Each structure stands twice: as C-alpha cells, then as structure tokens.
C-alpha cells in the first residue's frame, strides 16, 4: 500500500499539506509570532512579538517518510536569538497503516537548551475525501541544560508522549486553502524537569490550528493559532497568533 507523507508534523508550525509517496517538498517561511498577554506577562520579550524564519523540507516513498525544519527566532536581537530543529520520521510496517515513529526536537536560547527524543509507534491514513489523520504514541527522552536556572537536571527518560494530527485541503470559490490541526501531550514527566522547565504540572499539552491560503503553487500565507497548557515553559495556559508567508520551491 502506498503511504502518504506526513508533512504536517512540525514541532512549532506543522503547516505543510500531506504529499503523496515518492514526493518531496522544500520551502522557506518567514513571519511573526504574536503571543498573547498570558505569555508576555510571564516571559517578557521572550514571548511577545517575535520574528522567525524557517527552512523546511519533506520526502516520502514506499519505505517511509521524513520531515525536517530549521528555524531561527529573534534574528534581529543578539540577546534573544534562538534556534529550533525538528526531525520527524516514520518507517512503514509492511503494507499496514502502522509505522515505527521517531522525532528529535531541539530548542535553544542564549541561557538554556533542550533536546527531546521521541520513539514509538504511529498510525496514519489518507481517506478518499482527502482528510489525513495521524496518531503517534512514544516514549520521551530529554537532555537539557538549565544551568542558568541553578538546576542540574541530568536528563533521561521523561514519561510518555501522544500526538494526533488532522489535515485537509479545500477550495473557496477559485481559491485553494488547507487546514491543519495537531495537538501533542506529555505525561509522567520528572518532577525536577517540571520545576526547571517551568511547565509545573505533570500533564501538559500544546497544539496549533493552521489555516493556509495557497495563492499560487509556490506562494502561500498562513494564520496559526498556537496554544499550550502546562507546557512550553509555563504552568497554566498561554496562546498566540502566528503570521507567515511561505515560498515553496
């Protein structure tokens, strides 16, 4: 059975449409992350109105699929500049809709860094109406440097992970759009990690709802609603709106 490429698995934006097997994608996107008051009151300039530029690519074949992106944030501010690297892969299990799943997500700022490795199983399927659905369950291994916060977290196994993704393309008049919604969940996390990372509570989640207007085959614009609860460095809820312009080669 031919598998579809899960190009919607993006640790920060996840804004690409699913591509057919044996396909590839390379794109560059730039925009603004406009975080809400809950985030800005807690993080200050760290989550306020922050620029980003991202290079992302994906490929897939009968063996499996691979997605990766590299993102720079706050490039105009040397004291705040950060980076993000995300690699997501699936290896097909026979002719079924199940896969071996792996993800490596690294986030760095001038005063801290964290790498999350997620290994497990996934299921994905594209339906006749074009709807793509994906579910993955994995173990979570973390390595981090929080020495700026006077913490000596050694890392290691950090509980479990679940993510689900839905995406679909559609038309309004003669205009092409796509919609992606994904949400990931963490549980069973280390108490010291929760204290140093700022997440606070054991169960945490974050996700995005992304509307993309495909103005041409190469040029598209996106509006993303990003949200998190007991995750992304803050106990409780915070959210924001992200605006992006993407060119696909």
């Amino acid at each position: 059975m031919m598998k579809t490429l899960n190009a919607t698995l993006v640790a920060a934006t996840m804004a690409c449409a699913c591509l057919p097997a044996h396909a590839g994608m390379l794109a560059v996107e730039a925009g603004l992350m406009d975080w809400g008051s809950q985030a800005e009151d807690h993080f200050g300039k760290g989550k306020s109105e922050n620029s980003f530029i991202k290079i992302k690519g994906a490929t897939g074949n009968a063996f499996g699929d691979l997605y990766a992106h590299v993102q720079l944030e706050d490039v105009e501010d040397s004291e705040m500049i950060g980076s993000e690297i995300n690699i997501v892969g699936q290896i097909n299990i026979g002719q079924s809709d199940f896969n071996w799943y792996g993800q490596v997500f690294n986030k760095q700022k001038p005063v801290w860094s964290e790498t999350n490795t997620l290994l497990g199983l996934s299921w994905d399927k594209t339906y006749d109406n074009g709807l793509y659905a994906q579910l993955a369950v994995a173990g979570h291994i973390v390595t981090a440097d929080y020495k700026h916060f006077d913490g000596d977290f050694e890392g290691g196994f950090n509980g479990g992970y679940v993510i689900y993704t839905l995406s679909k393309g559609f038309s309004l008049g003669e205009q092409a759009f796509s919609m992606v919604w994904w949400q990931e969940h963490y549980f069973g996390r280390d108490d010291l990690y929760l204290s140093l990372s700022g997440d606070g509570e054991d169960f945490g989640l974050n996700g995005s709802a992304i509307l993309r207007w495909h103005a041409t085959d190469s040029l598209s614009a996106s509006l993303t609603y990003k949200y998190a609860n007991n995750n992304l460095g803050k106990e409780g809820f915070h959210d924001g709106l992200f605006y992006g312009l993407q060119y696909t080669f």
Side-chain angles (χ1 to χ4, degrees):
M1 178 184 299
M2 299 294 285
K3 301 301 291 286
T4 54
L5 171 64
N6 182 12
T8 57
L9 283 175
V10 179
T13 61
M14 298 192 181
C16 300
C18 300
L19 302 175
H22 303 294
M25 180 277 297
L26 178 64
V28 60
E29 184 174 23
L32 179 71
M33 299 179 286
D34 186 10
W35 291 96
S37 58
Q38 306 102 319
E40 193 166 8
D41 290 346
H42 183 78
F43 295 99
K45 290 197 303 180
K47 285 187 175 179
S48 179
E49 294 181 351
N50 310 99
S51 62
F52 73 90
I53 183 167
K54 176 186 297 186
I55 298 174
K56 49 189 171 181
T59 186
N61 54 41
F63 178 74
D65 50 69
L66 182 68
Y67 167 87
H69 79 241
V70 177
Q71 177 170 297
L72 294 178
E73 302 172 0
D74 295 308
V75 293
E76 72 283 359
D77 188 344
S78 60
E79 295 184 356
M80 296 295 297
I81 190 170
S83 67
E84 178 180 292
I85 300 173
N86 195 26
I87 303 171
V88 183
Q90 296 186 129
I91 299 175
N92 303 337
I93 300 177
Q95 300 299 311
S96 71
D97 293 323
F98 292 91
N99 322 278
W100 299 109
Y101 175 86
Q103 179 180 173
V104 177
F105 179 84
N106 172 268
K107 187 85 173 182
Q108 295 199 43
K109 284 289 189 176
V111 297
W112 61 268
S113 67
E114 180 175 310
T115 300
N116 297 276
T117 302
L118 305 153
L119 299 172
L121 294 170
S122 64
W123 169 91
D124 66 340
K125 186 177 181 66
T126 299
Y127 293 90
D128 292 340
N129 63 359
L131 175 68
Y132 173 81
Q134 185 256 13
L135 173 68
V137 180
H140 178 206
I141 300 168
V142 64
T143 56
D145 180 2
Y146 287 113
K147 296 192 184 300
H148 174 77
F149 305 105
D150 297 322
D152 190 19
F153 177 67
E154 296 181 354
F157 183 74
N158 199 37
Y161 173 84
V162 175
I163 183 171
Y164 53 79
T165 305
L166 296 171
S167 70
K168 194 177 188 306
F170 62 96
S171 298
L172 288 177
E174 298 182 354
Q175 301 298 310
F177 295 86
S178 60
M179 187 74 185
V180 178
W181 176 49
W182 63 267
Q183 186 167 293
E184 58 183 2
H185 312 79
Y186 294 89
F187 54 91
R189 295 180 289 177
D190 183 85
D191 289 341
L192 179 56
Y193 170 84
L194 293 171
S195 174
L196 294 175
S197 68
D199 291 348
E201 298 293 331
D202 175 32
F203 180 78
L205 62 87
N206 76 90
S208 292
I210 307 153
L211 176 64
R212 182 172 294 275
W213 170 45
H214 301 269
T216 69
D217 289 341
S218 298
L219 190 63
S220 62
S222 64
L223 174 64
T224 300
Y225 175 64
K226 177 70 175 177
Y227 58 92
N229 192 57
N230 301 325
N231 202 218
L232 304 184
K234 181 184 179 301
E235 185 173 357
F237 183 80
H238 68 290
D239 62 355
L241 288 174
F242 296 2
Y243 309 90
L245 187 64
Q246 176 174 298
Y247 183 84
T248 302
F249 296 94

